[in-house]
Amino acid sequence: MEQEMCIPVNHDDFIHDVVYNFYGTRMATGASDRCIKIWDWNKQTGQWILNESILAHDSSVIRLSWAHPEFGQVLASCSLDRSVKIWVEVDPTTKNETSRWRLVATQNHSAAVHSIAFAPEYTNLTIAAACSDGKVIFYSPSDPVKMDNWSNSGIIDFAPGVTTDSDGPLCLSWCKSRFAAPHMIVIGGSKENCIRVYKQTNVFVEMLELDRYEGAVLDVSWAPSMGRSYHLIATACSDGHIRIYKFWSHPSMSKAALYDSLFIREGDQPDYADAGDAATSKANAPRRLSSGDADDAEDDEDDDEDSDEDEDSDDSYEDDNDDSDDGSHSNVGSSVGPRPHTRRLGKKRGPKSAQGVLKAFEPHSELVGDLVVEPLMPVRRVRWNSTGTLLVSSSDDGVARMWKVTVNGTWREVAAITAEKSPTLQ
């Protein structure tokens, strides 16, 4: 059943972010009027009731993020005033408390903060803040109960060198799987216009660069794994494209060899990419029905040639980008930009030997979806549903689009929602 609801949020300026808590019973909005408004869902009336309005920052509130409820009602905000603030709900009847939300920490930065996100609850109470100076900084409290003494617990220098607001924002998203070890985060944007995955050991180290674009990266979203043998990561870009990647981070994922009817194209085989057991895996892999061994050999030769061509293409692409490491990377709005995006659907990217076979397992990825918003315009946000089977995007035309994968592995738009009319199903 379709149902529309208009919420008079009464912000005095443009709304930048709307986020729900873990249970979907509380909503927070941030806007250019420097205010955060928090709303509670009333089951009896079926309406959103204003809980609190906070004059939170000295400039526009860009992003908000809820912590997991096991840490209490904790909300973080970031702003163009170069600060990240942590807010905690308190009992208003408590002595000396004049508001239901108390500011417990303020972290100031040298540049505007464009994106924040709390780490999954199975790690610890940590928040990541992405700044326009090309750095991602992590903060944790000394006491998660008292929520005091937040300090720097790590840093990623995503775009070394001189980076400014004009180079474009950084965006980030945590891996939500508690079984994915070590902890991982995907970061995109800045002057690099690329997407990289990092893992946390003692410090954060780069695992893999997923891709590099001609346009600015405006958002990334890591899907819940829900038992899949791979991860899904979506990106939103200023060139009007939404790109979806499969990502294998651990040997057990490559050895799983599970057929997922929602994400396997007809005729595909499971990915047996573990380097050490390449021959064994190939011997154990299910064989396709064919007219003879000769046809199979021809198919294998064609696949090897395609793999070699793709490897050469990736190598030449990376060489071109390496040549531009002397500072000639494109800034947002610059007339000189990186090489246009050329990665093809269904082609994996990861370290290979001279024969095109993985020597030992290395993280690798595959572009499985390249969706285009029509008419062509920047895509600002992408978000997955709780099972990672439905992707929602929003673009500059004010339309929220829903994308879903078909049984043969292709992605298509299934609904479009605007503020002016009801959802249109296709």
Side-chain angles (χ1 to χ4, degrees):
M1 182 180 69
E2 299 176 3
Q3 183 177 359
E4 295 180 356
M5 178 182 298
C6 182
I7 305 172
V9 293
N10 295 325
H11 277 288
D12 296 329
D13 210 331
F14 185 81
I15 298 175
H16 291 278
D17 203 10
V18 179
V19 292
Y20 293 89
N21 69 350
F22 180 81
Y23 300 108
T25 57
R26 178 165 278 177
M27 177 178 66
T29 58
S32 288
D33 60 3
R34 304 176 295 161
C35 290
I36 299 172
K37 294 193 177 184
I38 301 171
W39 308 78
D40 291 326
W41 175 252
N42 189 308
K43 290 184 178 180
Q44 284 70 32
T45 63
Q47 299 291 328
W48 288 96
I49 308 301
L50 182 63
N51 173 293
E52 188 74 27
S53 181
I54 308 169
L55 184 59
H57 289 269
D58 296 329
S59 187
S60 299
V61 180
I62 300 300
R63 290 288 182 97
L64 302 167
S65 179
W66 289 100
H68 192 272
E70 75 175 48
F71 301 109
Q73 294 297 306
V74 184
L75 178 68
S77 62
C78 69
S79 170
L80 296 180
D81 65 4
R82 303 183 175 186
S83 69
V84 174
K85 295 187 178 183
I86 311 295
W87 309 85
V88 176
E89 186 179 31
V90 297
D91 186 350
T93 62
T94 305
K95 185 178 180 180
N96 298 328
E97 293 291 349
T98 59
S99 172
R100 294 186 62 175
W101 293 84
R102 176 165 53 93
L103 178 64
V104 296
T106 300
Q107 299 293 337
N108 294 310
H109 297 261
S110 60
V113 186
H114 288 277
S115 183
I116 53 174
F118 277 105
E121 75 284 356
Y122 60 83
T123 56
N124 50 35
L125 186 57
T126 300
I127 189 168
C131 308
S132 58
D133 60 1
K135 294 179 175 59
V136 177
I137 304 177
F138 302 86
Y139 297 101
S140 299
S142 59
D143 187 344
V145 177
K146 295 182 179 179
M147 294 287 174
D148 57 1
N149 298 327
W150 289 72
S151 59
N152 187 333
S153 59
I155 186 171
I156 295 175
D157 194 358
F158 183 83
V162 179
T163 308
T164 63
D165 288 342
S166 62
D167 292 318
L170 275 183
C171 48
L172 56 87
S173 181
W174 289 91
C175 173
K176 302 168 181 63
S177 172
R178 73 171 57 243
F179 302 108
H183 308 140
M184 296 180 291
I185 189 171
V186 59
I187 305 172
S190 191
K191 64 183 180 183
E192 303 289 342
N193 288 343
C194 64
I195 306 291
R196 299 189 191 122
V197 178
Y198 292 82
K199 65 179 180 180
Q200 183 181 18
T201 51
N202 293 328
V203 295
F204 282 92
V205 295
E206 182 179 341
M207 295 182 70
L208 179 69
E209 181 174 299
L210 293 183
D211 216 337
R212 189 177 291 264
Y213 309 133
E214 183 178 15
V217 183
L218 302 180
D219 199 18
V220 293
S221 184
W222 198 311
S225 63
M226 297 302 292
R228 283 188 294 268
S229 59
Y230 51 85
H231 299 284
L232 284 175
I233 298 174
T235 67
C237 301
S238 61
D239 59 6
H241 286 250
I242 302 165
R243 298 179 177 94
I244 302 171
Y245 301 86
K246 284 183 181 179
F247 172 60
W248 292 266
S249 63
H250 193 269
S252 62
M253 288 185 163
S254 293
K255 290 182 178 180
L258 298 176
Y259 279 100
D260 187 338
S261 61
L262 290 179
F263 296 95
I264 294 294
R265 294 183 180 89
E266 183 179 0
D268 279 358
Q269 295 290 337
D271 185 4
Y272 296 92
D274 183 65
D277 300 329
T280 303
S281 300
K282 185 175 181 180
N284 294 336
R287 298 189 60 178
R288 301 180 185 176
L289 294 176
S290 63
S291 59
D293 292 338
D295 293 338
D296 290 340
E298 291 177 1
D299 291 341
D300 292 339
E301 290 176 1
D302 292 340
D303 291 342
D304 291 340
E305 290 175 1
D306 290 342
S307 177
D308 293 340
E309 291 175 0
D310 183 58
E311 181 181 359
D312 295 339
S313 175
D314 285 346
D315 291 342
S316 63
Y317 167 63
E318 291 171 359
D319 291 340
D320 290 343
N321 283 324
D322 290 340
D323 293 340
S324 63
D325 285 341
D326 57 358
S328 60
H329 280 301
S330 159
N331 293 341
V332 175
S334 173
S335 59
V336 180
R339 178 171 175 169
H341 182 263
T342 58
R343 188 172 182 185
R344 291 181 290 169
L345 288 172
K347 295 300 181 181
K348 294 182 175 61
R349 171 172 293 180
K352 297 180 180 179
S353 69
Q355 292 77 27
V357 179
L358 291 171
K359 290 183 178 179
F361 178 85
E362 293 286 350
H364 54 286
S365 66
E366 177 185 350
L367 177 64
V368 295
D370 191 349
L371 317 177
V372 182
V373 173
E374 295 180 356
L376 198 65
M377 62 187 62
V379 182
R380 298 290 174 179
R381 296 288 179 88
V382 284
R383 286 295 181 271
W384 294 96
N385 67 344
S386 59
T387 59
T389 57
L390 184 73
L391 182 68
V392 180
S393 67
S394 61
S395 49
D396 280 359
D397 58 358
V399 178
R401 295 175 173 86
M402 299 182 185
W403 309 84
K404 195 170 184 178
V405 68
T406 61
V407 291
N408 64 352
T410 58
W411 289 81
R412 62 184 295 264
E413 182 180 338
V414 295
I417 304 173
T418 69
E420 291 77 23
K421 59 184 178 180
S422 301
T424 301
L425 296 177
Q426 298 182 350

